Amino acid sequence: MSELSLERGLNALRAEIDAPVAAFFSSCVHCGLCAEACLFYVETGDPKYTPITKLEPLRRVWEAEFTLFGRLKGLFGLNKKVTDEMLAEWEPLLYDSCSMCARCSMVCPVGNDIQYMIRKTREGMVAAGHAPEGLITAAARAVRTGSPMGLKWKTLQVQIDHVEASSGLQVPVDAEGADYLVMLSSMEIINFPEYLEAITKIFDHAGVSWTLSTDCYEATNAGIQIGNKDIAATLVQRIVDAAVKLKVKNVISPECGHAYTAVRWEGPNLIGKSYPFRVFHIIEVLEELRASGRIKTEGKEMDRLSLHDPCNLARKSGVIQQQRNLMDLVADNFVDLKEHGRYQWCCGAGGGVSSNERAAELKMTAFKRKKAQIEEVAPERMVTMCATCRTQLEEGLEDFNMDIPVVGLTEMIAEHLVEKNGDRKQ
Amino acid sequence: MATQKTLGESLREHGVTRRGFLKFCAATASMMALPPTMTSAIAAALDKARRPSVIWLSFQECTGCTESLTRSHSPTVENLILDIISLDYHHTLQAASGDAAEEARLAAMKENWGSYLVVVDGSLPGPGSNMGYSTIAGHSNLDILKETVEGAAAVVAVGTCAAFGGLPRAYPNPTGAVAVQDIITNKPIINVSGCPPIPTVITGVLAQYLTFGTLPEMDDYKRPLAFFGQSIHDRCYRRPFYDKGLFAETFDDEGAKAGWCLYRLGCKGPSTYNACATMRWNAGTSWPVESGHPCLGCSEPDFWDAGGFYQALSVPTANATHTLAVAGVAGAVVGGVAAAVAKKQQRHAVADREPVTIEQLEQRL
Ligand code: SF4
Ligand code: SF4
Ligand code: SF4
Ligand code: SF4
């Protein structure tokens, strides 16, 4: 087994250059519009953060080896080579300054999917041994223990006991044939245990059959974030095995946005076959329950609330109206951020940026975009539905001394459920 | 005068059947991406709508927009709606001329003050240019526009000239042409761009306004999202070829015959927002890309100055405000010529790829 090396990295880049990549690079008109869409560029003003620039290693390989012009240039020794030093220089550009939020992909006038290419370039970086320490350790822990934070079932069991004691309800575990298998992220288990309690209550209220699995309870995908399909596939396969073993019809992704896109959109391609179940985000499930009248609520939040759409959910997956319908159910004074839904600005922590300590400062600089957006509408509380976004919002707002609490949408719904013995007639 | 009869009454008077009317409503609903159940709601609202007073002004234009509408697959509900609503004043279509025509306009304004729609086609010589370039009954376009818009509920700029300046504004813009939105800032504006716009899109916008009584949701160029929400490229049936990198290189090569993507031949589909790919032209017969011609980008600002129509995508020079550099054309043309060799190389790379293990990763810590 060889070591990671420049040679392996270049080969991985070559292997990632498919027709879309070739079409994208040849269609780029260098208009620079992607820069204005990227929070890392906008908040630093540093041109090296222009999205298309972050792809320079991939672009050079494409130009030198996949175009006639590049081959001609090669004959005259004019090609700029991709070296180990170059990859080292680009490592922070690819990992610290990109949250894979896809805002650049959305604005590119010729339809270049830059975020897709970032993901591909990271494949080359990993194979060349240029990935940030935080992501390497997260990936290693995810493969070895099933959780990027190294959580064991024991920890989750403790939370389950808490939930059962405080709600008086049972949390189903390893229940074969349940309709929904619920996945969590470490962040929800440790930082936001109220999430588990909330779905326990809501599902009981709505009569949904669900379960957790002791084989696999964590679905964040460190492989996607670091940019390696082998690791990513291993992690997806675990979910598939657990779901197949329990014969569930549906899998609910954790609230983590990247986990959702990884298991919902990338997963079947990674493992090379389709799933025998469907995948949803909890918000989609709740909206379906709401629409079919299975969630009955009472009372409304009266303070001014606003919403942060996770990029992975809203821009990349089109889940936009669902969370607003749910908001309407329980909030009386809701105001959208000016740019929201598809146009949402990223919180700055996705794409592995939050697990990458070196990026901590840049992450807070990028958060200024969100901060400015929030200041514009001055809400009393922020609501969201992604554990990563929520952590970043909390940290960021605290960092900038803004006294705006952040709540999860699912928990807010749970708080307003009509009491069980109330008028829950069908 | 114009406001007495309901639209439904007028349509029936013109012999439009209930069935034909509902068909139009269903098409409008689908254009607006509304559920089919909305058809009856639209029909009910349109039926009851008072014949709205519309004043149609034509400035520096080629009359293509009016032609697009009136020469379309007639007789349809669309152009009947137009016939009905445009009676008050339309330079080109009305019988009256000179002072009589101008008096009709002033009378229509007075009678419907605050509620009439102004439809404009054509751009106008802007402030600071020679007003003599375009006048009507001795009045400059600028004065007529300002005067007419005064009592309007909203202004619909039909065609790329009215919406963005269009051909009259192309470099070097001898008449100092400007768009309606450059002049009118205190009234709601709806830009229905296109050179010309698709007729059903024009009437769809009017029907939407009549049905819901509100302005449609619009994009940054003030174009109604229902019709301009998606790019030509997103909805193009040649798109699978683009995604596979299969491009026609000339108009009569094997690729062109096989229906491959026209990007290399200058197609501006990726940067153009319009409904051609879904609505098509001439009663749904075909549309430019289907007939083998690249999209010119006619519904986008400054499309005349966006490099050659047959050059692979470039950006309009007049639009290139901030850091933009207009380049990449050469690169785009060269790209992919070495595809065959490259494909082989890529296959090797995929075959040579070794899986990355976490042990290997950890050695890097
Ligand atoms: S927005 Fe698109 S075309 Fe413009 S520079 Fe970025 S990648 Fe290139
Ligand atoms: S995906 Fe988001 S963070 Fe990354 S380059 Fe694009 S806009 Fe910037
Ligand atoms: S023909 Fe034009 S619109 Fe269609 S796929 Fe090709 S570039 Fe896009
Ligand atoms: S295909 Fe393009 S150029 Fe042709 S009419 Fe439609 S938008 Fe205009």
Side-chain angles (χ1 to χ4, degrees):
Chain A
M1 193 180 5
S2 66
E3 280 180 31
L4 303 179
S5 63
L6 174 64
E7 215 16 76
R8 280 187 67 178
L10 291 176
N11 191 59
L13 290 178
R14 250 172 242 137
E16 290 300 321
I17 296 176
D18 52 11
V21 169
F24 293 160
F25 279 132
S26 56
S27 0
C28 174
V29 289
H30 310 285
C31 65
L33 288 179
C34 49
E36 308 287 340
C38 177
L39 69 171
F40 292 94
Y41 169 78
V42 169
E43 288 308 325
T44 58
D46 188 336
K48 74 178 179 203
Y49 294 133
T50 301
I52 193 77
T53 306
K54 299 173 190 173
L55 299 169
E56 190 58 16
L58 186 66
R59 202 197 64 78
R60 280 196 194 170
V61 172
W62 164 77
E63 191 192 60
E65 301 179 22
F66 291 75
T67 69
L68 182 62
F69 192 55
R71 283 162 182 264
L72 288 177
K73 268 167 81 179
L75 286 180
F76 297 102
L78 292 172
N79 276 332
K80 290 199 201 121
K81 289 234 153 30
V82 175
T83 60
D84 217 38
E85 293 71 51
M86 179 190 183
L87 293 184
E89 191 186 334
W90 251 260
E91 187 193 308
L93 290 183
L94 278 155
Y95 287 101
D96 305 19
S97 77
C98 178
S99 57
M100 305 206 357
C101 72
R103 206 166 182 274
C104 51
S105 302
M106 183 181 68
V107 306
C108 173
V110 300
N112 288 350
D113 193 345
I114 300 169
Q115 182 262 164
Y116 168 84
M117 295 195 279
I118 296 261
R119 164 78 182 78
K120 285 174 164 283
T121 311
R122 285 187 184 179
E123 290 278 341
M125 299 299 282
V126 169
H130 286 286
E133 190 185 329
L135 286 176
I136 294 180
T137 50
R141 274 196 300 260
V143 172
R144 290 213 182 92
T145 67
S147 143
M149 287 189 183
L151 288 185
K152 303 257 168 57
W153 176 262
K154 261 200 317 217
T155 321
L156 179 52
Q157 186 62 52
V158 174
Q159 301 293 11
I160 292 176
D161 294 344
H162 279 310
V163 169
E164 292 189 335
S166 88
S167 68
L169 299 168
Q170 203 205 331
V171 174
V173 174
D174 291 336
E176 227 184 87
D179 281 343
Y180 292 93
L181 170 62
V182 170
M183 290 285 151
L184 300 166
S185 70
S186 304
M187 214 119 62
E188 285 149 14
I189 301 172
I190 294 298
N191 301 358
F192 310 118
E194 58 268 37
Y195 171 69
L196 182 59
E197 177 159 355
I199 49 177
T200 307
K201 286 184 181 160
I202 298 173
F203 284 174
D204 172 69
H205 169 99
V208 170
S209 94
W210 67 289
T211 186
L212 294 173
S213 157
T214 45
D215 288 343
C216 179
Y217 43 89
E218 154 74 85
T220 44
N221 199 315
I224 296 286
Q225 297 183 333
I226 197 167
N228 179 259
K229 46 177 113 172
D230 310 307
I231 298 172
T234 308
L235 298 176
V236 168
Q237 190 60 50
R238 280 185 192 160
I239 305 170
V240 175
D241 292 344
V244 167
K245 187 168 156 198
L246 290 177
K247 304 192 184 67
V248 295
K249 296 189 193 71
N250 305 290
V251 169
I252 300 181
S253 130
E255 287 214 321
C256 164
H258 282 284
Y260 173 67
T261 44
V263 52
R264 178 143 188 190
W265 308 123
E266 288 209 48
N269 291 324
L270 286 166
I271 62 171
K273 51 182 190 291
S274 53
Y275 299 151
F277 50 82
R278 299 182 66 195
V279 178
F280 295 101
H281 190 272
I282 184 72
I283 293 303
E284 295 173 286
V285 177
L286 294 183
E287 166 60 5
E288 226 179 276
L289 294 175
R290 181 204 66 81
S292 56
R294 287 168 73 183
I295 295 185
K296 304 260 186 307
T297 56
E298 58 191 349
K300 291 209 171 186
E301 304 284 322
M302 301 309 286
D303 53 349
R304 192 172 160 84
L305 301 177
S306 192
L307 190 75
H308 169 75
D309 286 286
C311 307
N312 282 283
L313 202 60
R315 184 158 39 248
K316 293 203 218 161
S317 308
V319 181
I320 294 170
Q321 192 50 46
Q322 287 89 329
Q323 47 268 39
R324 286 166 177 78
N325 294 346
L326 290 167
M327 265 302 222
D328 281 349
L329 203 60
V330 295
D332 214 31
N333 191 2
F334 170 70
V335 51
D336 251 322
L337 296 180
K338 286 222 178 97
E339 284 152 303
H340 59 264
R342 286 172 68 201
Y343 296 95
Q344 179 72 297
W345 282 97
C346 177
C347 68
V353 172
S354 62
S355 339
N356 174 2
E357 267 169 46
R358 184 183 59 201
E361 200 184 319
L362 187 58
K363 182 179 83 168
M364 275 306 143
T365 308
F367 182 75
K368 286 192 193 147
R369 197 77 277 289
K370 195 86 245 164
K371 170 175 172 273
Q373 267 201 296
I374 295 177
E375 280 166 347
E376 246 176 347
V377 305
E380 285 163 88
R381 277 185 300 160
M382 283 300 291
V383 181
T384 193
M385 61 231 73
C386 161
T388 311
C389 298
R390 185 163 167 194
T391 311
Q392 163 80 344
L393 285 171
E394 283 180 351
E395 278 177 24
L397 290 167
E398 191 182 316
D399 232 53
F400 290 104
N401 294 317
M402 288 165 77
D403 185 20
I404 301 178
V406 186
V407 282
L409 180 53
T410 310
E411 291 92 279
M412 214 164 80
I413 304 279
E415 272 165 29
H416 286 275
L417 292 178
V418 168
E419 285 296 323
K420 192 113 192 244
N421 321 330
D423 55 352
R424 234 191 91 212
K425 28 185 169 348
Q426 292 298 318
Chain B
M1 49 183 219
T3 42
Q4 276 150 17
K5 266 182 224 146
T6 67
L7 198 59
E9 282 159 0
S10 309
L11 285 171
R12 277 186 289 279
E13 242 168 55
H14 282 76
V16 175
T17 62
R18 180 82 193 147
R19 207 162 152 255
F21 179 56
L22 280 177
K23 237 171 99 189
F24 169 80
C25 295
T28 308
S30 91
M31 265 195 298
M32 289 189 248
L34 294 170
T37 47
M38 280 301 287
T39 304
S40 50
I42 295 179
L46 279 184
D47 198 59
K48 279 201 294 292
R50 294 275 148 204
R51 286 173 49 182
S53 179
V54 171
I55 298 178
W56 186 302
L57 304 174
S58 298
F59 298 140
Q60 303 189 109
E61 40 86 45
C62 68
T63 314
C65 296
T66 301
E67 288 281 332
S68 164
L69 208 46
T70 54
R71 296 290 164 93
S72 64
H73 39 111
S74 58
T76 61
V77 184
E78 290 98 283
N79 47 43
L80 279 173
I81 285 190
L82 177 83
D83 279 353
I84 291 161
I85 61 178
S86 63
L87 283 179
D88 288 341
Y89 182 85
H90 189 299
H91 284 154
T92 322
L93 301 180
Q94 69 194 354
S97 62
D99 288 343
E102 293 314 293
E103 267 158 35
R105 174 171 63 89
L106 294 174
M109 283 170 58
K110 207 168 134 210
E111 205 145 325
N112 304 291
W113 193 260
S115 68
Y116 60 89
L117 284 178
V118 174
V119 176
V120 183
D121 60 344
S123 64
L124 52 162
S129 36
N130 182 342
M131 288 300 143
Y133 283 129
S134 181
T135 61
I136 295 156
H139 301 289
S140 75
N141 290 171
L142 201 61
D143 287 344
I144 294 182
L145 178 67
K146 283 190 185 153
E147 182 186 65
T148 313
V149 160
E150 194 90 348
V155 186
V156 185
V158 166
T160 300
C161 297
F164 306 126
L167 173 61
R169 183 163 157 173
Y171 180 81
N173 189 0
T175 65
V178 295
V180 172
Q181 59 183 350
D182 297 329
I183 303 297
I184 304 301
T185 48
N186 59 350
K187 292 280 171 181
I189 292 185
I190 310 167
N191 285 329
V192 185
S193 63
C195 190
I198 301 176
T200 26
V201 171
I202 307 179
T203 46
V205 168
L206 296 176
Q208 186 173 4
Y209 180 74
L210 292 176
T211 306
F212 300 107
T214 49
L215 295 180
E217 208 190 324
M218 295 189 280
D219 70 4
D220 293 347
Y221 289 133
K222 301 201 173 83
R223 295 179 297 198
L225 275 175
F227 311 106
F228 296 90
Q230 270 167 328
S231 70
I232 296 284
H233 190 55
D234 280 344
R235 285 310 177 116
C236 180
Y237 74 106
R238 295 189 192 231
R239 178 63 186 263
F241 294 113
Y242 175 93
D243 289 341
K244 289 203 196 84
L246 297 174
F247 301 102
E249 303 286 342
T250 68
F251 281 104
D252 58 357
D253 65 5
E254 288 310 309
K257 284 176 193 145
W260 289 358
C261 168
L262 304 172
Y263 180 79
R264 293 252 165 80
L265 292 169
C267 185
K268 306 292 186 285
S271 56
T272 303
Y273 289 77
N274 204 345
C276 306
T278 41
M279 300 302 302
R280 313 216 224 153
W281 285 85
N282 300 323
T285 307
S286 179
W287 64 292
V289 167
E290 192 172 341
S291 69
H293 196 280
C295 166
L296 305 178
C298 75
S299 55
E300 296 302 307
D302 303 313
F303 81 101
W304 290 97
D305 293 328
F309 286 163
Y310 302 104
Q311 273 161 17
L313 200 80
S314 180
V315 278
T317 41
N319 241 7
T321 41
H322 17 284
T323 29
L324 312 194
V326 184
V329 177
V333 175
V334 168
V337 176
V341 200
K343 246 182 233 147
K344 205 166 126 211
Q345 189 155 344
Q346 206 249 359
R347 269 205 305 275
H348 282 309
V350 173
D352 290 349
R353 190 182 172 280
E354 286 173 62
V356 171
T357 66
I358 53 169
E359 287 75 23
Q360 291 170 347
L361 266 179
E362 283 176 328
Q363 281 170 13
R364 285 294 174 147
L365 291 182

